[in-house]
Amino acid sequence: MIVHSASFEISATSLANCPESDWPELAFAGRSNVGKSSLVNCLLNRKGLVRTSSTPGRTQLLNFFAVNEALYFVDLPGYGFAKAPRSVRERWMPMVRGYLTGRSNLRAVVWLLDARREPSDEDLAFLDWLEEAGVPTLPVVTKVDKISRNQLARQLDTIGRRTGLDPDLFIPFSAVTRQGRDVLWEMIAELLTPQA
Ligand SMILES: Nc1nc2c(ncn2[C@@H]2O[C@H](COP(=O)(O)OP(=O)(O)O)[C@@H](O)[C@H]2O)c(=O)[nH]1
Ligand SMILES: [Mg+2]
């Protein structure tokens, strides 16, 4: 996919104020700090388009980015931000679940796990929501530049066992080396191709 244009469009606080549009949409989800914003920047070849931060729980809105004037990327607020204020945590669930279950433009969710960690209970709860909402999921393990091939293979085993998903479904990704970027774009393009 050649990215001709990519720009921030709007932050929505709920399903009700997401942009009215007939563009297909792809959302990016995962624990805070897992690397969502870095992955989106990498896909779009834009270094600072999506703000990245090492402070979990900073971006608590549904952030819409217009891509090639043809689709939206939506950077979802991360979960697992234990240190965030209670008010933030309580707003998160209806916002994200409302979006996942109610957004008709949504074609798929790119779901990120950290290649170095075991999936947490929150990761598994989120996967349940995705399955409940019936949204196609593209699972990604990111930050693979931080571990060896052997470690990755072992981790994928664990992740497969914990999630019940086939480990081969996970796309190994790194925003640092850009490993996995082309494969992920291919899968995205395939998902966005209208079915005959
Ligand atoms: N080594 C490495 N670091 C990464 C990668 N992706 C993200 N990071 C770092 O992880 C931190 C959190 O990334 P960010 O994209 O803001 O995560 P988000 O909270 O999920 O949006 C930042 O310090 C990034 O530089 C990656 O693929 N490899
Ligand atoms: Mg982010």
Side-chain angles (χ1 to χ4, degrees):
M1 180 80 74
I2 298 169
V3 181
H4 302 288
S5 67
S7 59
F8 172 71
E9 182 133 332
I10 199 171
S11 291
T13 53
S14 72
L15 175 63
N17 60 23
C18 287
E20 240 178 80
S21 161
D22 52 14
W23 291 357
E25 223 162 272
L26 200 72
F28 298 81
R31 187 180 52 78
S32 288
N33 224 30
V34 71
K36 289 179 301 297
S37 302
S38 304
L39 178 141
V40 173
N41 283 332
C42 178
L43 283 177
L44 298 178
N45 292 324
R46 303 290 192 280
K47 259 206 158 121
L49 181 63
V50 190
R51 234 183 315 157
T52 57
S53 159
S54 47
T55 312
R58 275 279 167 79
T59 42
Q60 293 304 327
L61 296 168
L62 310 165
N63 294 312
F64 283 74
F65 297 86
V67 181
N68 289 348
E69 300 296 316
L71 74 140
Y72 281 122
F73 275 11
V74 185
D75 190 18
L76 297 179
Y79 47 82
F81 37 93
K83 286 192 189 125
R86 172 191 274 264
S87 59
V88 168
R89 281 178 280 150
E90 283 177 352
R91 269 198 307 268
W92 183 86
M93 183 160 137
M95 174 168 64
V96 173
R97 285 199 89 172
Y99 172 83
L100 291 176
T101 53
R103 183 68 170 167
S104 56
N105 308 49
L106 183 62
R107 294 288 182 280
V109 173
V110 178
W111 180 53
L112 285 78
L113 292 177
D114 190 317
R116 299 164 303 173
R117 294 177 172 228
E118 270 205 33
S120 67
D121 291 343
E122 279 169 310
D123 287 317
L124 299 179
F126 192 84
L127 182 60
D128 280 346
W129 292 0
L130 289 174
E131 285 169 356
E132 265 172 52
V135 189
T137 301
L138 289 177
V140 167
V141 286
T142 191
K143 307 194 187 183
V144 295
D145 56 282
K146 294 199 173 194
I147 55 174
S148 72
R149 268 167 175 271
N150 281 340
Q151 283 171 314
L152 176 61
R154 245 177 296 141
Q155 275 297 104
L156 282 174
D157 259 9
T158 308
I159 288 170
R161 243 178 293 118
R162 275 285 273 172
T163 59
L165 299 175
D166 181 344
D168 291 341
L169 292 175
F170 285 82
I171 302 167
F173 185 88
S174 165
V176 172
T177 65
R178 297 164 68 85
Q179 178 185 338
R181 181 182 179 276
D182 294 346
V183 176
L184 187 52
W185 259 126
E186 275 169 31
M187 305 203 57
I188 291 168
E190 204 171 297
L191 268 165
L192 297 177
T193 306
Q195 306 296 311

